[in-house]
Amino acid sequence: MSERLEMQIDGADLDKDDPVLEVSGLKKSFGGLVATDDASLQVERATITGMIGPNGAGKSTLFNLISGFYEADEGSVTVNGTEVTGKEPHEIAREGLVRTFQTPRKLEGMTVREAMMVGPQHQTGESVLPLWLSPSSVAEEERRNLERAEELLELFEIDHLATEMATEVSGGQLKLIEMARAILSEPDVLLLDEPVAGVNPTLAKNLAGFIRELNEERDLTFLIIEHDMGFIMELADPIIVLDQGRVLMEADPETVRNDQRVIDAYLGGAE
Amino acid sequence: MSAAATLPVVGALNSTERNVLIGLAVFFGLLFVSMLAGVIQPRYLFFLLSLAGMYVLLTMGLNVQWGYAGLINFSVAAFWGIGAYCAALVTASNSPLGLELHPVFGLVAAVVVSALVAVLIGIPTLRLREDYLAIATLGLAEVVRLLILNEEQWTNGSAGVSGIPRLFEGLPFDSVIRNFYVVLGLIVVVYLFLRRVHQSPWGRVLRTIRADEDLAEALGKDTYAFKMQAFVLGSVIMAAAGVFYVHLNLYLGPDDLEPIQTFYVWIAVILGGTGSNRGAMIGGLTVVAILEGTRFLNTAVIPAGVDVAPLRLLFVGLLIILVIRYREEGLLPPQHELVAGGVADEKGGGPDE
Ligand SMILES: Nc1ncnc2c1ncn2[C@@H]1O[C@H](COP(=O)(O)OP(=O)(O)O)[C@@H](O)[C@H]1O
Ligand SMILES: [Mg+2]
């Protein structure tokens, strides 16, 4: 858990048992198409929550609404007890909610470790003045961040890529880098949009391991969209099912797997 | 074994850097020989070098905006002109303002006004997609030119401003030499400043924004604030180039704000290597060499009656094609990981070209 959150918990009305993310009555239409329809959900602290649903169910749209990339027509989003509805994505990230993208973003002109070092938030050297007034403390922070970046690359078993150009690595590796970088930003809740799409099975298995490890050791909360049923059913609990922009159900993997409505939704989506 | 093995400094360079260095040496060698041979007057040579220095400043300014942050500014000439007019109007003897202040105040006025204009243009556009800034700056370039042309009571209109003082009047050197040192000093200061701010977490965030703004936002970076800083910084450097120009040329008119100047500076940035400070310097120098070289070819090489100057654009166009064909990344593309305090270098690795 991040320092910031602990401070908030010490000093304020925030409770460790409060959900880290609360979404209520979110609505979003694109022209006539209702992509998100009165979606409400809660993500409890230190869980790995899964989100499934057929193609076009509105999962990515919901992520975009939560993280501030889309503006909701109605409804509200609360992160760590702070309402963030209508805030800019970077403000929401600073509240402790960080997301990755379904299509991994390429960072042109950057090495992998350089791209990683964008992760940490509130870096002293991100302001121009400290670069002149206290260059040594900036360098010190850089050294720390570089070390952390390399540790994570090592954990994800991609440390051999550290000095490669970020545009030269494979799509699956890019997914790993993206997740590792998001972790460097020390979020309280991490939203992953299809983290193993395009990642080879061995790597995907490792990734599940990392997620579990981070969840157990650092109490990091995950909300994960995933198409790979084997992956998500084994990893996540609870699982939220989305269909046609609505939250169809939320339950443990076993219940979800056997629910007739879920089966119907997927069969309907497959037609 | 080449000379590189015996010269440790040259040995530490990579092949691109070596080639550029050799090119520079040949270029300046030729200039020197031409001067000795009487083809170029020494005074004129120093004037040209000062002019080249001014282009280098402009190129570094645009590189901050486009090269670091991916901001499309089509009013380089306008920001240059704002700086130039501020300096001219505050210091000149025939300025309608009648202030006749020391050039330092011209510089201060230029910095303040250009920063202010940059902020005013940035506020409505930098939150939007990048094309909005491009469109707004296209408009700004024309607005600034028309304002200067028509607000005669403030700017002298088409008559222009003259009676501009020279820099460092008291010093014993000739004014052309003084100008040369002034611009050299400006370049060194701006370069050292930019190198530190670029190779830092600040520069790294800008590089991220350029590559993918959404990603930077998702990681908690206030992209609007970063873009604003880059835009203002670049614009102020352009204005400083304008300030230098008026004290070099001693006359300023609205015709000096030709939109084509903006185009030349863009070429210089792309040619030098988008995002690279050193590339910006090489690019600026190369473009001036072509622009002024055509003038020089006229008198020196081509027989009377043939005018090469109108072919300038052709030469520039040819150059663009060659660069795109053979060196897409420019002459000296950025080579550094943007990590502050040499921390990445301590660890070694990184791209070597
Ligand atoms: N920016 C957008 N503009 C128009 N339609 C969109 C936009 N984003 C998503 N949609 C539509 O919303 C629906 C849900 O899409 P999405 O959230 O990407 O689904 P999922 O991630 O569950 O596969 C789809 O029909 C999609 O076409
Ligand atoms: Mg999706």
Side-chain angles (χ1 to χ4, degrees), chain A residues 220-246:
Chain A
L220 183 53
T221 313
F222 286 88
L223 176 61
I224 305 174
I225 297 176
E226 191 46 69
H227 256 304
D228 183 334
M229 285 301 154
F231 177 88
I232 196 74
M233 289 290 179
E234 195 183 316
L235 182 65
D237 186 7
I239 298 214
I240 299 169
V241 186
L242 237 61
D243 184 37
Q244 300 186 6
R246 278 186 298 268

Side-chain angles (χ1 to χ4, degrees), chain A residues 28-31 33-36 52-64 70 102 193-194 225 227 242 245:
Chain A
K28 178 73 180 177
S29 329
F30 297 105
L33 177 93
V34 182
T36 306
I52 63 168
N55 249 328
K59 304 179 296 294
S60 294
T61 303
L62 190 55
F63 265 27
N64 282 327
Y70 289 167
Q102 184 172 344
D193 197 341
E194 303 199 10
I225 297 176
H227 256 304
L242 237 61

Side-chain angles (χ1 to χ4, degrees), chain A residues 81-94:
Chain A
T82 308
E83 171 149 8
V84 297
T85 321
K87 288 201 176 172
E88 305 241 359
H90 72 264
E91 295 174 306
I92 297 174
R94 287 175 187 183

Side-chain angles (χ1 to χ4, degrees), chain A residues 204-220:
Chain A
K205 214 169 145 68
N206 290 344
L207 197 64
F210 304 144
I211 291 174
R212 213 173 277 123
E213 211 173 303
L214 288 161
N215 172 254
E216 279 162 14
E217 286 175 10
R218 305 193 192 183
D219 274 351
L220 183 53

Side-chain angles (χ1 to χ4, degrees), chain B residues 88-89 91-98 100 155-156 159-164 251:
Chain B
L89 293 176
T91 60
S93 60
N94 93 329
S95 156
L97 304 185
E100 292 192 55
T155 65
N156 275 358
V161 188
S162 52
I164 299 165
Y251 167 81

Side-chain angles (χ1 to χ4, degrees), chain B residues 15-340:
Chain B
S15 64
T16 316
E17 291 170 324
R18 216 161 21 234
N19 289 341
V20 168
L21 209 63
I22 291 169
L24 278 177
V26 169
F27 175 70
F28 282 110
L30 277 178
L31 277 184
F32 189 66
V33 170
S34 319
M35 189 180 81
L36 290 185
V39 180
I40 306 179
Q41 296 295 315
R43 289 183 62 86
Y44 187 54
L45 180 63
F46 274 97
F47 176 82
L48 284 184
L49 288 176
S50 301
L51 201 65
M54 188 203 76
Y55 267 90
V56 167
L57 284 174
L58 279 173
T59 311
M60 289 200 286
L62 182 61
N63 188 48
V64 171
Q65 297 174 338
W66 167 245
Y68 294 7
L71 301 173
I72 300 174
N73 178 1
F74 285 138
S75 53
V76 177
F79 281 107
W80 175 88
I82 286 169
Y85 262 94
C86 282
L89 293 176
V90 166
T91 60
S93 60
N94 93 329
S95 156
L97 304 185
L99 297 170
E100 292 192 55
L101 297 177
H102 188 272
V104 163
F105 294 100
L107 181 64
V108 171
V111 168
V112 170
V113 175
S114 60
L116 209 65
V117 173
V119 169
L120 289 178
I121 291 287
I123 286 172
T125 56
L126 290 178
R127 282 191 198 279
L128 304 171
R129 283 204 326 269
E130 55 205 23
D131 12 350
Y132 285 91
L133 178 65
I135 294 163
T137 51
L138 267 181
L140 176 74
E142 203 49 19
V143 167
V144 169
R145 206 178 59 81
L146 289 177
L147 272 179
I148 288 168
L149 199 58
N150 292 312
E151 299 300 315
E152 288 175 30
Q153 72 276 28
W154 302 106
T155 65
N156 275 358
S158 57
V161 188
S162 52
I164 299 165
R166 294 175 198 278
L167 294 173
F168 297 104
E169 203 63 273
L171 293 187
F173 311 108
D174 191 289
S175 70
V176 287
I177 309 275
R178 292 203 306 267
N179 283 331
F180 175 72
Y181 279 122
V182 167
V183 80
L184 208 59
L186 271 175
I187 289 171
V188 169
V189 167
V190 170
Y191 173 74
L192 291 179
F193 177 83
L194 290 182
R195 195 175 62 169
R196 179 170 294 185
V197 299
H198 189 221
Q199 248 181 73
S200 77
W202 185 82
R204 197 161 61 215
V205 172
L206 288 178
R207 194 176 261 187
T208 310
I209 290 172
R210 186 180 206 281
D212 193 321
E213 195 169 339
D214 282 351
L215 180 67
E217 276 281 330
L219 292 169
K221 316 298 177 191
D222 185 351
T223 56
Y224 171 72
F226 280 99
K227 288 194 289 183
M228 184 65 92
Q229 289 163 20
F231 189 59
V232 170
L233 177 57
S235 299
V236 166
I237 295 172
M238 292 169 190
V243 173
F244 172 72
Y245 176 79
V246 294
H247 294 292
L248 174 73
N249 199 51
L250 307 181
Y251 167 81
L252 180 68
D255 288 347
D256 290 327
L257 276 73
E258 279 177 289
I260 191 85
Q261 298 294 341
T262 295
F263 171 73
Y264 289 144
V265 178
W266 269 91
I267 299 303
V269 170
I270 294 164
L271 181 74
T274 302
S276 153
N277 294 319
R278 296 179 310 170
M281 297 202 271
I282 296 296
L285 204 61
T286 310
V287 166
V288 177
I290 289 176
L291 296 182
E292 296 303 320
T294 46
R295 208 190 302 264
F296 163 73
L297 276 182
N298 255 358
T299 51
V301 183
I302 309 291
V306 183
D307 189 4
V308 185
L311 298 179
R312 273 179 191 188
L313 269 177
L314 190 76
F315 283 120
V316 174
L318 203 65
L319 192 70
I320 297 169
I321 292 169
L322 285 176
V323 168
I324 289 173
R325 175 70 184 77
Y326 293 104
R327 273 200 82 86
E328 208 185 326
E329 300 211 278
L331 294 175
L332 269 183
Q335 294 168 358
H336 288 286
E337 293 178 291
L338 302 184
V339 177

Side-chain angles (χ1 to χ4, degrees), chain A residues 251-267:
Chain A
D252 60 273
E254 198 48 38
T255 315
V256 166
R257 212 194 308 264
N258 298 316
D259 193 283
Q260 191 56 41
R261 290 172 297 168
V262 177
I263 296 165
D264 288 346
Y266 270 89
L267 288 179

